[in-house]
Amino acid sequence: MPLFRHRLLFAALLAGFPGMASLASPPPIVDTGIPGVTDAQLSPDWWIARVPDADRVVLDAPAIAALNDKLRRLDPSMHDIRHLPSSLTRDQVMVWIDKVSQRPARALFDAKGQSLPASAIDSILANDATNAIPSEVTPRYGMAVRRAPLRSHATDARVFTQPVDTDIDRFQESALFPGDPVVVVHSSADGRWVFAVSARYAAWTPAEAIAYGTTAQVFAHADATPFRVITGAAPHTVFTPEAPALSELQLDMGTRIPLDTSLSPGQPVNGQHPYTSWVLSLPVRDAQGALSFRPALLQRNQPSEADYLPLTRANVIRQAFRFLGERYGWGHDFNGRDCSGFVSDVYRSMGVQMPRNTGDQASSPGLSHTAYTPKDGHDARVAAAMALEVGDLVYIPGHVMMVIGKVDGQPYVIHDVGGISLRDGTTSLRRIKLNEVSVTPLLPLMFDKDTSFVDRMTSIVRIR
């Protein structure tokens, strides 16, 4: 589309949305193919330069610790696995399992577009083996040894709600990261899956992704100092044929990993001198599933810090833009993340441990949020949108967006999104497929031809 048509389109979007035309002039001529977004706006520095006091600390470390404690105490989606009793009842375990492992209520399709028969669903549910859960369950503590999927059922079968759309696997829930402490409370009938409860989520994960140890061993390692916090999107450890389980291991943003302090200076690590890298201490699993720790190298030129980043507006923008262009991955699929995984991983790099899913984030009793109901009219919602600040999270059903600033008074967001719809100047909508972490204006985004994103807004969360 010629550049001048972008400006005309954005003006038409505002004119076609009552109450918006007077809010601001159209943004500058664009060159990205996305109305209202210029190439310059794809740099974090462009946005940071426009934020007053961008480096001012919004929450210091004690305030973040207090926020995390509040979330653990008040938010039912968070799990205080450090203080579980030594024995759990079947009913307690079933509460966790029932939350994610219900029988599908709608038709599903496999990766070839074929309808999934009831017999296949029956087989999957049988492998969950919930009828085999005893009346008393002894929780087993362990750690994730790699990035591993969290699934709604004990299966790696990918299922979809549309035969032609294989992006969103409806059995995919979330992910574990190397070093995540978990409590295992159940095993599948085939023994290949375990039901793991982590601090932020509970679901099925591959059995071979978990190494088991004592409670003291698990949390001593999780709390060990010194450590590195991963601040890049998804760096990898150094390739090493000497330790295949630790070779090119993906380490996602916000992961906290202790350093190995047991080695002598200059002692080779996995066949390599360590002076150009950080020597991490990572969990490994032996043939019997037991937990131990081995050193692995993370190159010093890969983004990591000796502590969580300060929670500043500049860092919120900078960290969000590290994911710009990453492929959308429902439930942390495709080695990526989805909209709620994206915002929670950004804040996790600054020490904030948010709930995993959009619904839990939007309504969490542990977070400061403003809720919106059908009683809130269009004008009130637009006024709220105009008052948004950098780092604010805007929720509509099933989606969350992070505010990064304003252009000519118009709020802009960065979000992990399948696509956006915009008015084309008539009654029709123009659909743009994105399928990635993207920068867009907020106000022109439409849910359907009659309803904007702002009119669908359910909550604004402010991490303060």
Side-chain angles (χ1 to χ4, degrees), residues 192-244:
R192 294 181 55 241
W193 297 83
V194 294
F195 195 90
V197 183
S198 72
R200 298 196 307 153
Y201 216 75
W204 293 93
T205 199
E208 46 82 24
I210 305 299
Y212 297 96
T214 66
T215 309
Q217 183 185 23
V218 166
F219 290 111
H221 188 265
D223 297 336
T225 58
F227 58 87
R228 301 298 292 180
V229 174
I230 303 302
T231 54
H236 292 71
T237 59
V238 172
F239 171 80
T240 169
E242 292 84 358

Side-chain angles (χ1 to χ4, degrees), residues 352-423:
V352 178
Q353 301 296 325
M354 293 184 66
R356 170 61 182 85
N357 288 342
T358 52
D360 294 324
Q361 291 175 4
S363 61
S364 174
L367 296 173
S368 174
H369 65 277
T370 303
Y372 293 86
T373 71
K375 294 181 180 179
D376 296 295
H378 170 75
D379 291 344
R381 291 165 179 270
V382 170
M386 297 303 293
L388 289 166
E389 299 178 6
V390 171
D392 287 352
L393 303 175
V394 181
Y395 293 85
I396 66 172
H399 189 53
V400 57
M401 300 160 280
M402 177 181 287
V403 177
I404 53 172
K406 293 180 180 177
V407 178
D408 294 332
Q410 294 284 321
Y412 274 62
V413 293
I414 185 168
H415 49 144
D416 206 344
V417 64
I420 56 174
S421 294
L422 306 163
R423 290 188 186 275

Side-chain angles (χ1 to χ4, degrees), residues 251-327:
L251 306 172
D252 289 73
M253 181 181 288
T255 304
R256 178 193 189 278
I257 307 171
L259 295 178
D260 190 321
T261 58
S262 66
L263 303 177
S264 302
Q267 180 179 340
V269 174
N270 301 328
Q272 182 175 337
H273 197 289
Y275 85 107
T276 57
S277 301
W278 300 107
V279 184
L280 306 179
S281 176
L282 284 166
V284 292
R285 171 189 167 100
D286 69 14
Q288 288 72 45
L291 173 67
S292 61
F293 304 98
R294 287 195 58 175
L297 298 179
L298 175 68
Q299 292 169 239
R300 287 178 182 253
N301 60 10
Q302 297 300 303
S304 74
E305 296 291 334
D307 203 346
Y308 291 104
L309 291 168
L311 177 45
T312 66
R313 291 178 174 86
N315 278 337
V316 168
I317 293 171
R318 195 173 290 118
Q319 291 304 100
F321 270 77
R322 288 191 183 276
F323 291 116
L324 187 69
E326 181 184 78
R327 174 76 179 228

Side-chain angles (χ1 to χ4, degrees), residues 100-120:
V100 296
S101 299
Q102 296 291 322
R103 186 181 188 91
R106 53 186 168 179
L108 294 174
F109 301 86
D110 64 20
K112 296 180 179 179
Q114 302 298 311
S115 179
L116 208 64
S119 59

